[in-house]
Amino acid sequence: MKELLIIAIGSAIVNNVVLSQFLGICPFLGVSKKVETASGMGGAVIFVITIASFITGLIYKFILVPLNISYLQTIVFILVIAALVQFVEMFLKKSMPSLYNALGVYLPLITTNCAVLGVALTNVQKDYGILTGVVNGIGTSVGFAIAIIIMAGIREKIEYNDISESFQGTPIVLITAALMSIAFFGFSGLI
């Protein structure tokens, strides 16, 4: 139990997928303009990564390894992730159309979000069991949600500040992301 807690906290904060490993930058920068949409994206990513960690763990352990076709893991994992994203997209379109419209093109991009595939491949590379892989997936996805929601909150505040014209828009967002990354690196003891 203690090991699972360490993996979850380490995945969420110390080895934050966005700010330490630099995976999932596209939705991190694209959807972090408002806290509401960032929260929606964070929730969708939590769902997809958690379920993908479970399903890919099962497929890897019970199908790919016994059949000695583990070299197909990347293709199989991408197919599983794409199916899960389609499920999330249909669910949001029916139950939360405003969030579905706010996420726009970034919702289907979860399929190609390297953070989702990165978690599935990390679980295999670190030889995590199914439960450990799911805990790693939950921790990683919560870390993604934390990062994107913090960034959205900062971007909402920056909008009302007087910023030099040369730093407006993308430059100030990238500087903010860099400062957040430095802050999160502090959790690992590198600074």
Side-chain angles (χ1 to χ4, degrees), residues 8 11 16 48 52 66 69 86-87 89 93 101 104-105 130 132-133 137-138 140 147 153 158 161 163 176 184 187 190:
S11 297
N16 186 284
V48 170
I69 55 172
Q86 287 299 318
F87 173 73
E89 192 172 3
K93 191 173 187 178
N101 291 329
V105 71
I130 294 171
T132 309
I138 291 170
T140 301
I158 287 175
N161 291 336
I163 298 172
T176 303
F184 271 74
F187 290 117
L190 295 175

Side-chain angles (χ1 to χ4, degrees), residues 37-117:
T37 55
S39 299
M41 176 60 89
V45 168
I46 288 172
F47 177 79
V48 170
I49 288 181
T50 302
I51 302 301
S53 296
F54 178 70
I55 293 174
T56 56
L58 288 174
I59 290 172
Y60 184 78
K61 183 174 183 177
F62 295 113
I63 297 174
L64 298 178
V65 171
L67 294 176
N68 200 24
I69 55 172
S70 59
Y71 57 87
L72 294 175
Q73 68 188 13
T74 303
I75 295 169
V76 171
F77 292 174
I78 289 173
L79 291 173
V80 168
I81 291 165
L84 286 170
V85 170
Q86 287 299 318
F87 173 73
V88 169
E89 192 172 3
M90 289 186 306
F91 174 77
L92 288 178
K93 191 173 187 178
K94 290 281 185 191
S95 63
M96 296 180 234
S98 61
L99 179 60
Y100 173 79
N101 291 329
L103 292 175
V105 71
Y106 293 100
L107 185 59
L109 283 178
I110 295 175
T111 302
T112 59
N113 185 343
C114 51
V116 181
L117 180 60

Side-chain angles (χ1 to χ4, degrees), residues 26-39 41 102-103 106 147-160 169-170 173:
C26 179
F28 173 72
L29 295 175
V31 183
S32 63
K33 293 178 182 170
K34 294 187 178 186
V35 173
E36 296 83 24
T37 55
S39 299
M41 176 60 89
L103 292 175
Y106 293 100
I148 197 169
I149 291 169
I150 290 172
M151 176 59 111
I154 293 171
R155 285 180 77 172
E156 283 184 358
K157 298 292 184 190
I158 287 175
E159 188 176 321
Y160 300 109
T170 304
V173 172

